[in-house]
Amino acid sequence: MTENWIAPSILSADFARLGEEVDNVLAAGADVVHFDVMDNHFVPNLTIGPLVCDALRKHGVTAPIDVHLMIEPVDRIIPDFAQAGANFITFHPEGSVHIDRTLQLIHDEGCKAGLVFNPGTPLHHLDHVMDKLDMILLMSVNPGFGGQSFLPSALDKLRQVRKKIDDSGFDIRLEIDGGVKIDNIREIKAAGADTFVAGSAIFGKPNYRDTIDQMRSELAQAE
Ligand code: DX5
Ligand code: ZN
């Protein structure tokens, strides 16, 4: 069985104390650092780039860093993120003219690669690239901001992608991003996810360990 990963999104962290925030959330039991990159073009917000990823590595962060690119185009910046210490790099099919080439580029740079689907993006983009994917990320909100509500249509999409992964036989993680909370993580797990991004649910509460522990206990009870 694939291990469940909890991936706090640093979008909701205090950026003025980012190194400390990341240290604290990892000490509280997080598995992966989810790193949201926005360009004020593909999405209506602007965040952080490779310099900040590199700064976290220099600060001493050794956990996997999961870079979610909400940018367009994507290829130019991928080597910079690889150099800055990213482990996973995921991008939206709308952000690349040549999806297969971009997946190959991420692998050539020594990182794991994934495709991200907005709530309204169809799954057919998966059809010819399953063998090149390490991760599939389903958005359960429209990307751009933390703190939005989980869109229930993501549950059915998760079930569809879970089946595609299982039928393919490939080792691909299924990640969900947007509106994940203690009170819905169990049904999200039951629908097929194994990697859970949570921003406001974790950084919005004073005790990160309490939230992560409660999420893990909900996950343990999923069907
Ligand atoms: C949204 C980002 C998410 C966001 C999730 O565009 O991709 O990673 O930070 O935040 P919450 O968990 O608050 O919905
Ligand atoms: Zn994200």
Side-chain angles (χ1 to χ4, degrees), residues 182-203:
I182 294 166
D183 62 12
N184 62 11
I185 199 167
R186 195 197 304 193
E187 63 175 336
I188 294 168
K189 165 76 191 167
D194 52 44
T195 304
F196 306 87
V197 176
S200 51
I202 294 175
F203 287 106

Side-chain angles (χ1 to χ4, degrees), residues 9 34-36 68 70 137 139 177 197:
S9 161
H34 185 80
F35 191 105
D36 285 307
H68 174 193
M70 287 162 275
L137 168 49
M139 295 305 300
D177 184 3
V197 176

Side-chain angles (χ1 to χ4, degrees), residues 9-12 34 36 38 68 70 139 141-148 177-181 197-201:
S9 161
I10 58 175
L11 189 61
S12 290
H34 185 80
D36 285 307
M38 304 185 185
H68 174 193
M70 287 162 275
M139 295 305 300
V141 296
N142 286 293
F145 303 95
Q148 304 180 77
D177 184 3
V180 176
K181 310 274 173 209
V197 176
S200 51

Side-chain angles (χ1 to χ4, degrees), residues 119-146:
T121 302
L123 294 173
H124 64 72
H125 297 284
L126 291 172
D127 284 352
H128 306 286
V129 295
M130 288 295 277
D131 61 331
K132 295 198 170 71
L133 294 175
D134 305 292
M135 176 94 91
I136 297 169
L137 168 49
L138 295 189
M139 295 305 300
S140 37
V141 296
N142 286 293
F145 303 95

